[in-house]
Amino acid sequence: SLGELTAQTNVVVASGTNPSVTFTVNSGNLKAISGRVTLGGTGLSGVKIGARGSSTTTGGNGTETDSNGSFRLLVPAGTYTVSGWSPDTGGLSEKSADVRSSNVTLSDWTLGGQGTLRITIQNASNISPLFAGAFSTSTGRGNGTDSWTTSGTSKISDIKLAAGTYEINAGSPLSCEITSSCSTATITAGETTN
């Protein structure tokens, strides 16, 4: 939660020695960005959260939501773009955080109902690696996979997505793109779309 520390130099490791290095962090010079990710009103754990400097701010930091869906990370004073990702949510929309003068708590990422997109690629049992993704043309958000289950000569994968309409793409470096750009699916909360 402290971000990048200043590199320590002139540390000599010689045969039979185990030197120690001390990093001193002055947390008084850092600002906190905190927030929460919820799914259907319940906190969502395991979402990777990242803050990267925006405008003239450089650097950033990252963390993961806890069992309550909450996160807190420390960064040098500045302005940041904050987003997140998990296999269960895909990418989260970006939020701005201005911590030039004080800590900030972001508004929650409140995710609506989610459904499952089940992708089946026939006659693909010998294709590896194989990738697929579903992305909303209106929001630019989506999710993807490179993890498959083989069933006969087909490969099957499930992707979690927020309710909405998505463009689906699949392919492999061995076979190029498998789907056309007009392949779409509508995801309904709580349901599986094949």
Side-chain angles (χ1 to χ4, degrees):
S1 64
L2 298 175
E4 184 176 0
L5 303 177
T6 304
Q8 301 296 304
T9 59
N10 301 322
V11 177
V12 178
V13 179
S15 178
T17 65
N18 297 303
S20 63
V21 176
T22 301
F23 290 90
T24 302
V25 177
N26 181 354
S27 60
N29 294 334
L30 300 173
K31 303 294 182 195
I33 299 173
S34 57
R36 189 166 185 243
V37 180
T38 64
L39 176 62
T42 302
L44 187 62
S45 66
V47 179
K48 311 289 188 216
I49 301 293
R52 69 178 188 285
S54 59
S55 188
T56 59
T57 303
T58 59
N61 197 358
T63 190
E64 187 172 297
T65 58
D66 63 17
S67 60
N68 189 39
S70 300
F71 70 90
R72 182 176 185 272
L73 53 83
L74 298 176
V75 291
T79 57
Y80 294 85
T81 299
V82 185
S83 188
W85 181 90
S86 84
D88 292 327
T89 65
L92 301 177
S93 58
E94 293 183 339
K95 295 180 182 278
S96 296
D98 184 343
V99 289
R100 288 178 288 189
S101 60
S102 63
N103 300 334
V104 68
T105 299
L106 300 173
S107 60
D108 289 357
W109 276 281
T110 304
L111 306 177
Q114 286 192 305
T116 302
L117 172 64
R118 176 163 291 157
I119 299 174
T120 302
I121 302 180
Q122 298 174 345
N123 303 315
S125 58
N126 293 326
I127 299 176
S128 182
L130 182 60
F131 305 95
F135 301 92
S136 168
T137 56
S138 61
T139 66
R141 301 285 174 219
N143 206 352
T145 186
D146 64 354
S147 178
W148 299 86
T149 301
T150 302
S151 175
T153 61
S154 298
K155 284 198 171 178
I156 302 169
S157 187
D158 289 345
I159 301 174
K160 298 282 189 185
L161 294 163
T165 300
Y166 294 85
E167 181 178 297
I168 305 163
N169 293 287
S172 170
L174 299 177
S175 64
C176 299
E177 188 172 16
I178 294 171
T179 59
S180 68
S181 61
C182 61
S183 298
T184 61
T186 299
I187 304 302
T188 303
E191 296 183 9
T192 297
T193 301
N194 290 293

